[in-house]
Coordinates of all heavy atoms in Angstrom, one line a residue:
Chain G
H105 N 8.2 30.3 65.4 CA 8.8 29.0 65.3 C 9.8 28.9 64.0 O 9.7 29.9 63.2 CB 7.7 27.9 65.1 CG 6.7 28.1 64.1 ND1 6.9 27.9 62.8 CD2 5.4 28.7 64.1 CE1 5.8 28.2 62.1 NE2 4.9 28.7 62.9
P198 N -2.0 23.3 60.6 CA -1.4 24.6 60.3 C -2.4 25.7 60.4 O -3.5 25.6 59.9 CB -0.7 24.6 59.0 CG -0.7 23.1 58.6 CD -1.8 22.4 59.3
K206 N -10.1 41.2 77.6 CA -9.9 42.0 78.7 C -10.6 41.4 80.0 O -11.6 42.0 80.4 CB -10.4 43.4 78.5 CG -9.5 44.2 77.5 CD -9.4 45.6 77.7 CE -8.6 46.3 76.8 NZ -9.3 46.9 75.7
R236 N -29.8 25.9 59.5 CA -29.1 25.2 58.5 C -29.7 23.8 58.2 O -29.8 23.3 57.1 CB -27.6 25.0 58.9 CG -26.8 26.2 58.7 CD -25.5 26.0 59.4 NE -24.5 27.0 59.1 CZ -23.4 27.2 59.7 NH1 -23.1 26.3 60.7 NH2 -22.5 28.1 59.2
R239 N -32.7 24.1 56.1 CA -32.5 24.3 54.7 C -31.6 23.3 54.1 O -31.1 23.5 53.0 CB -32.1 25.8 54.4 CG -30.7 26.1 54.9 CD -30.3 27.5 54.3 NE -29.1 28.0 55.0 CZ -27.9 27.4 54.9 NH1 -27.7 26.4 54.1 NH2 -26.9 28.0 55.6
R361 N -14.0 22.6 59.0 CA -15.2 23.5 58.8 C -15.9 23.7 60.2 O -16.3 24.8 60.6 CB -16.2 22.9 57.8 CG -15.6 22.7 56.4 CD -15.2 24.1 55.7 NE -14.0 24.7 56.0 CZ -12.8 24.3 55.5 NH1 -12.7 23.4 54.5 NH2 -11.7 24.9 55.8
D365 N -16.0 27.3 62.0 CA -17.3 27.9 62.1 C -17.8 28.1 63.5 O -18.6 28.9 63.8 CB -18.3 26.8 61.4 CG -19.7 27.3 61.3 OD1 -20.0 28.3 60.6 OD2 -20.6 26.6 61.9
N368 N -13.1 28.6 66.3 CA -12.0 29.4 66.0 C -12.3 30.9 66.1 O -13.5 31.3 66.3 CB -11.5 29.1 64.5 CG -10.1 29.5 64.3 OD1 -9.4 29.9 65.3 ND2 -9.6 29.6 63.1
D376 N -18.3 35.2 71.7 CA -19.4 35.4 72.7 C -18.9 35.1 74.1 O -19.3 35.8 75.0 CB -20.6 34.6 72.3 CG -21.3 35.2 71.1 OD1 -21.2 36.4 70.8 OD2 -22.0 34.4 70.4
E382 N -15.5 39.6 79.7 CA -15.3 41.1 79.8 C -16.4 41.7 80.6 O -16.1 42.6 81.4 CB -15.1 41.7 78.4 CG -13.9 41.2 77.7 CD -13.5 42.0 76.4 OE1 -14.2 42.9 76.1 OE2 -12.5 41.7 75.9
Chain B
K54 N 0.4 31.4 59.4 CA 1.2 30.2 59.9 C 2.5 30.7 60.6 O 3.0 30.0 61.5 CB 1.6 29.4 58.7 CG 0.6 28.5 58.2 CD 1.1 27.3 57.5 CE 1.6 27.6 56.0 NZ 1.7 26.4 55.2
P63 N -7.3 26.0 52.0 CA -8.4 26.0 53.0 C -8.9 24.5 53.3 O -9.5 24.3 54.3 CB -9.5 26.9 52.5 CG -9.1 27.2 51.1 CD -7.6 26.8 50.9
V67 N -6.1 25.5 58.5 CA -7.1 26.2 59.3 C -7.2 27.6 58.9 O -6.2 28.3 58.7 CB -6.7 26.2 60.8 CG1 -7.8 26.9 61.6 CG2 -6.5 24.7 61.3
S68 N -8.4 28.0 58.5 CA -8.6 29.4 58.2 C -9.4 30.1 59.4 O -9.9 29.4 60.2 CB -9.6 29.5 56.9 OG -9.0 28.9 55.9
Y72 N -15.9 30.0 53.8 CA -17.3 29.5 53.3 C -17.3 29.5 51.8 O -16.9 30.4 51.2 CB -18.3 30.6 53.8 CG -18.6 30.6 55.4 CD1 -18.5 31.8 56.0 CD2 -18.8 29.4 56.1 CE1 -18.6 31.8 57.4 CE2 -19.0 29.4 57.4 CZ -19.0 30.6 58.1 OH -19.1 30.7 59.5
D80 N -26.1 32.7 56.8 CA -26.1 32.2 58.2 C -25.6 33.2 59.1 O -26.1 33.4 60.3 CB -25.3 31.0 58.3 CG -25.8 29.7 57.7 OD1 -27.0 29.7 57.4 OD2 -25.0 28.9 57.3
R84 N -27.6 34.9 62.2 CA -27.2 34.9 63.6 C -27.1 36.3 64.2 O -27.6 36.5 65.4 CB -25.8 34.2 63.7 CG -25.2 34.3 65.1 CD -24.0 33.3 65.1 NE -23.3 33.6 66.4 CZ -22.2 34.4 66.5 NH1 -21.8 35.2 65.4 NH2 -21.6 34.6 67.6
S90 N -26.4 37.1 70.1 CA -24.9 36.9 70.2 C -24.3 38.0 71.0 O -24.4 39.3 70.6 CB -24.3 36.9 68.8 OG -22.9 37.2 68.9
A92 N -21.5 39.2 71.5 CA -20.5 39.9 70.9 C -21.1 41.0 69.8 O -20.5 41.9 69.4 CB -19.5 39.1 70.2
E131 N -14.9 51.9 73.2 CA -13.5 51.5 72.8 C -13.4 51.3 71.3 O -14.3 50.7 70.8 CB -13.0 50.3 73.6 CG -11.6 49.9 73.2 CD -11.5 48.4 73.6 OE1 -11.5 48.1 74.8 OE2 -11.2 47.7 72.6
R165 N -10.5 40.1 69.6 CA -11.3 39.0 70.1 C -12.6 38.9 69.5 O -13.2 37.8 69.6 CB -11.3 39.1 71.6 CG -12.4 40.0 72.2 CD -11.9 41.4 72.3 NE -12.7 42.2 73.2 CZ -13.0 43.4 72.8 NH1 -12.7 43.9 71.7 NH2 -13.6 44.1 73.8

Side-chain angles (χ1 to χ4, degrees):
Chain G
H105 51 82
K206 291 209 178 99
R236 284 169 165 171
R239 67 169 168 72
R361 300 294 83 87
D365 183 63
N368 201 12
D376 287 334
E382 294 189 358
Chain B
K54 280 206 280 201
V67 181
S68 302
Y72 291 127
D80 288 340
R84 174 168 168 268
S90 162
E131 180 200 296
R165 82 276 198 225

